[in-house]
Amino acid sequence: MHHSQEFSSSSMRSVAPWLDGDANDRLSLGTTVSCIVERELDVHEHLFLEGERQTHVYLVLSGLIGIYKLLADGRRQISTFAYPGDMIGLDCTDTHVDSGEALSGSRVRCIPVNAIEKLIMNEPGFGQTLLRIAANELADTRERMLSLGRQSATEKLATFLVKVARRNAGIGLDRDTVHIPMKRCEIADFLGLTIETVSRNFTRLKLAGVIRLKSNSQVELVDFERLEAIAKGDMPAHLN
Amino acid sequence: MHHSQEFSSSSMRSVAPWLDGDANDRLSLGTTVSCIVERELDVHEHLFLEGERQTHVYLVLSGLIGIYKLLADGRRQISTFAYPGDMIGLDCTDTHVDSGEALSGSRVRCIPVNAIEKLIMNEPGFGQTLLRIAANELADTRERMLSLGRQSATEKLATFLVKVARRNAGIGLDRDTVHIPMKRCEIADFLGLTIETVSRNFTRLKLAGVIRLKSNSQVELVDFERLEAIAKGDMPAHLN
DNA sequence: CGTTCTCTTGAGATCCCTCAACACCTGTGG
DNA sequence: CCACAGGTGTTGAGGGATCTCAAGAGAACG
């Protein structure tokens, strides 16, 4: 039985602080209709597809959503994983530029885009909050580009693990005991690698004594400092 | 003598339409002080460095600015090229998350961040324009991630050329006669490749009859359709 | 206790990188 | 006008990291 990570308003971390606590109230404050529904998603069920008109913004309540783009022949790049507490689609363009798929059973709250638009109009400071979120997302994305374009497989994986660990620490969990809710295949599509390379580098880090694999989805960071060093590229490849 | 691509207010395309025409007026409308200066940059001169406090937002008037991040050992990833008319740093975080360097002699207009903040407060719709810009940038960045993580060298280069051509078409220039203002080294750091690989793939596309190299910085797209097909990955690698 | 899905491991192929030489261009100065 | 130097781009040869293909090992589930 795994730690379910249900999103709650009292969560220490929140990408969407302005939705904390009284989310429904504040949204119905902006719109007379309170057409905010929750939606349950099975594994591999899609929340939206690239090219579809964007009708909603989503708040992940539980589970994990993968945001990705495809090449014509099926090659996939996952741009981000949306965890409970994360918002999806705040960068409102009218059509979706990528697809969103549940990577495990998930629950999301669906907020119509016009509700967001009204909030921007009526709630002072709301627009700026959105801007700040977008800015953070952009900063994050650029770090990902550096990783995708310039890091080795081992460095990419180390970077990924460090990021998950930091997220853990941020929400009050143990930094060094990380639960990986996604499959190897999804990690591969996130890092721009193949599943085999991901797997090989897990064992590589394991043999180097940097991590320990309790199970496929449960990783213990034995030497966080060294993992960070590898992620930063400070560590020559052959010493890993 | 190359086509200088000076940015003018009457430009057909503009990432920053709200700065068209009477930019200074509207900004001094927001702030009593009109402390907007222009700055001249030599090649390789930096506009800002990663980690510095962000004091200004910049509008590129002429030249070309490269926005990049570094790994500890000097590996570089250029996240974007800012052309005349492009804004830099609209995603205001308080410190710069990347560095900006002039890739050729350039001129920029410097706008203090507090002027932007005041504009957000006072100009209705300004914040939303910023949001739209950020959303577009995010969409663009995610397409880049797909390219960095999942495309072959040839596909990356084709994608790059198609994007430059589309930009040309958008500002009223000939789509198929593209001027490449950056060096091979910078294209390499943009695409996550080495200069040699970039060079080899230029000649590869040339031999395939898709492009013609008039000079190092002047490329003629002989077969735009095929270039697009290669960029999309429709074309098996061995047929290039 | 199979069946299925996922992960790991191995062997060989491939793409890209590294290192090195050479070609080209431009400006400078004899 | 030519020689030279420095910056930039191209090309080649070899090596290495990652991918592909294939088999086997574990885990999850009925």
Side-chain angles (χ1 to χ4, degrees):
Chain A
M1 199 83 284
H2 78 240
H3 184 176
S4 85
Q5 284 212 341
E6 176 80 9
F7 173 67
S8 71
S9 307
S10 58
S11 164
M12 288 184 60
R13 166 187 172 273
S14 177
V15 178
W18 41 270
L19 270 178
D20 265 7
D22 55 349
N24 281 308
D25 308 24
R26 294 187 58 187
L27 283 169
S28 41
L29 188 141
T31 71
T32 37
V33 263
S34 87
C35 43
I36 291 148
V37 297
E38 291 192 3
R39 190 170 153 195
E40 197 87 38
L41 292 159
D42 287 336
V43 202
H44 296 136
E45 200 177 340
H46 276 84
L47 192 51
F48 51 86
L49 290 169
E50 184 176 344
E52 279 180 3
R53 188 165 192 80
Q54 179 170 2
T55 57
H56 292 80
V57 162
Y58 306 94
L59 170 65
V60 183
L61 298 171
S62 71
L64 184 72
I65 311 289
I67 311 297
Y68 68 88
K69 284 176 80 71
L70 290 178
L71 246 28
D73 59 3
R75 279 174 285 175
R76 180 172 71 158
Q77 177 64 50
I78 297 182
S79 55
T80 191
F81 293 118
Y83 283 90
D86 288 343
M87 294 290 303
I88 299 173
L90 269 185
D91 47 319
C92 297
T93 43
D94 27 283
T95 60
H96 285 287
V97 296
D98 35 31
S99 305
E101 176 192 349
L103 302 182
S104 68
S106 303
R107 247 178 49 252
V108 298
R109 181 173 297 154
C110 308
I111 304 152
V113 286
N114 58 47
I116 297 291
E117 279 158 12
K118 284 189 185 157
L119 264 184
I120 292 176
M121 294 306 198
N122 304 332
E123 285 270 353
F126 181 83
Q128 269 172 285
T129 306
L130 252 49
L131 262 178
R132 209 188 52 239
I133 293 173
N136 288 339
E137 220 163 304
L138 209 48
D140 184 74
T141 307
R142 292 197 168 154
E143 217 151 274
R144 297 277 329 285
M145 282 183 26
L146 178 62
S147 177
L148 283 171
R150 288 306 187 197
Q151 289 193 307
S152 72
T154 313
E155 289 166 350
K156 284 177 176 179
L157 186 57
T159 300
F160 170 70
L161 290 172
V162 165
K163 204 161 78 171
V164 178
R166 291 240 174 77
R167 181 180 182 279
N168 268 3
I171 58 176
L173 298 177
D174 179 26
R175 187 194 65 180
D176 295 341
T177 308
V178 306
H179 171 246
I180 312 266
M182 59 291 275
K183 301 187 200 312
R184 295 288 182 269
C185 165
E186 290 145 4
I187 298 175
D189 283 342
F190 182 74
L191 297 177
L193 301 169
T194 58
I195 38 173
E196 293 95 332
T197 302
V198 170
S199 183
R200 275 184 246 275
N201 282 282
F202 262 114
T203 58
R204 194 172 179 184
L205 290 175
K206 188 177 68 183
L207 293 177
V210 181
I211 64 173
R212 233 167 51 80
L213 293 171
K214 295 176 163 176
S215 77
N216 281 333
S217 63
Q218 212 68 23
V219 182
E220 188 188 341
L221 309 188
V222 179
D223 189 345
F224 185 77
E225 307 290 312
R226 196 134 71 94
L227 191 66
E228 262 189 317
I230 295 171
K232 281 196 273 187
D234 289 346
M235 189 91 29
H238 55 90
L239 291 179
N240 294 344
Chain B
M1 197 84 281
H2 79 240
H3 183 176
S4 84
Q5 283 212 341
E6 177 78 8
F7 174 66
S8 71
S9 306
S10 57
S11 163
M12 288 183 61
R13 167 189 171 271
S14 177
V15 178
W18 41 271
L19 271 177
D20 265 6
D22 56 348
N24 280 307
D25 308 23
R26 295 186 58 188
L27 283 169
S28 41
L29 189 140
T31 72
T32 37
V33 264
S34 86
C35 45
I36 292 148
V37 297
E38 291 191 3
R39 190 170 154 196
E40 196 88 37
L41 293 160
D42 287 336
V43 202
H44 297 136
E45 201 177 339
H46 276 84
L47 191 52
F48 52 86
L49 290 170
E50 184 176 344
E52 278 180 4
R53 188 163 193 80
Q54 179 170 4
T55 57
H56 293 81
V57 162
Y58 306 95
L59 171 64
V60 183
L61 298 171
S62 70
L64 184 72
I65 310 289
I67 311 299
Y68 68 88
K69 282 176 81 71
L70 290 178
L71 245 28
D73 59 2
R75 279 173 285 175
R76 180 172 72 159
Q77 177 65 51
I78 296 182
S79 55
T80 191
F81 293 118
Y83 283 90
D86 288 344
M87 293 291 304
I88 299 172
L90 270 185
D91 46 317
C92 296
T93 43
D94 31 281
T95 61
H96 285 287
V97 296
D98 35 30
S99 305
E101 176 192 349
L103 302 183
S104 67
S106 304
R107 249 179 48 251
V108 299
R109 180 173 296 154
C110 308
I111 304 152
V113 287
N114 57 48
I116 297 290
E117 278 158 14
K118 285 190 185 156
L119 264 183
I120 293 176
M121 294 305 199
N122 305 332
E123 286 270 354
F126 181 82
Q128 269 172 285
T129 306
L130 250 50
L131 261 179
R132 210 188 52 237
I133 294 173
N136 288 339
E137 219 162 306
L138 208 49
D140 184 73
T141 306
R142 291 196 169 156
E143 217 150 273
R144 297 277 328 286
M145 284 182 28
L146 178 61
S147 177
L148 283 171
R150 288 306 188 197
Q151 289 194 308
S152 72
T154 313
E155 289 166 349
K156 283 178 177 179
L157 185 58
T159 300
F160 171 69
L161 290 172
V162 166
K163 204 161 78 170
V164 178
R166 290 240 175 78
R167 182 180 180 278
N168 269 3
I171 58 176
L173 298 177
D174 179 26
R175 187 194 65 181
D176 295 342
T177 308
V178 306
H179 172 244
I180 311 265
M182 58 293 274
K183 303 187 200 312
R184 295 287 182 272
C185 164
E186 289 145 5
I187 298 175
D189 283 343
F190 182 75
L191 298 178
L193 300 169
T194 60
I195 38 173
E196 295 94 331
T197 303
V198 170
S199 183
R200 275 184 247 275
N201 282 282
F202 262 115
T203 58
R204 193 172 181 186
L205 290 175
K206 187 177 69 183
L207 294 177
V210 181
I211 64 173
R212 233 167 50 81
L213 293 172
K214 296 175 165 178
S215 77
N216 281 332
S217 64
Q218 212 69 22
V219 181
E220 189 188 343
L221 309 188
V222 178
D223 189 345
F224 186 77
E225 307 290 313
R226 197 136 68 96
L227 191 67
E228 261 189 317
I230 295 171
K232 281 195 275 190
D234 288 349
M235 189 92 28
H238 55 88
L239 292 179
N240 295 343

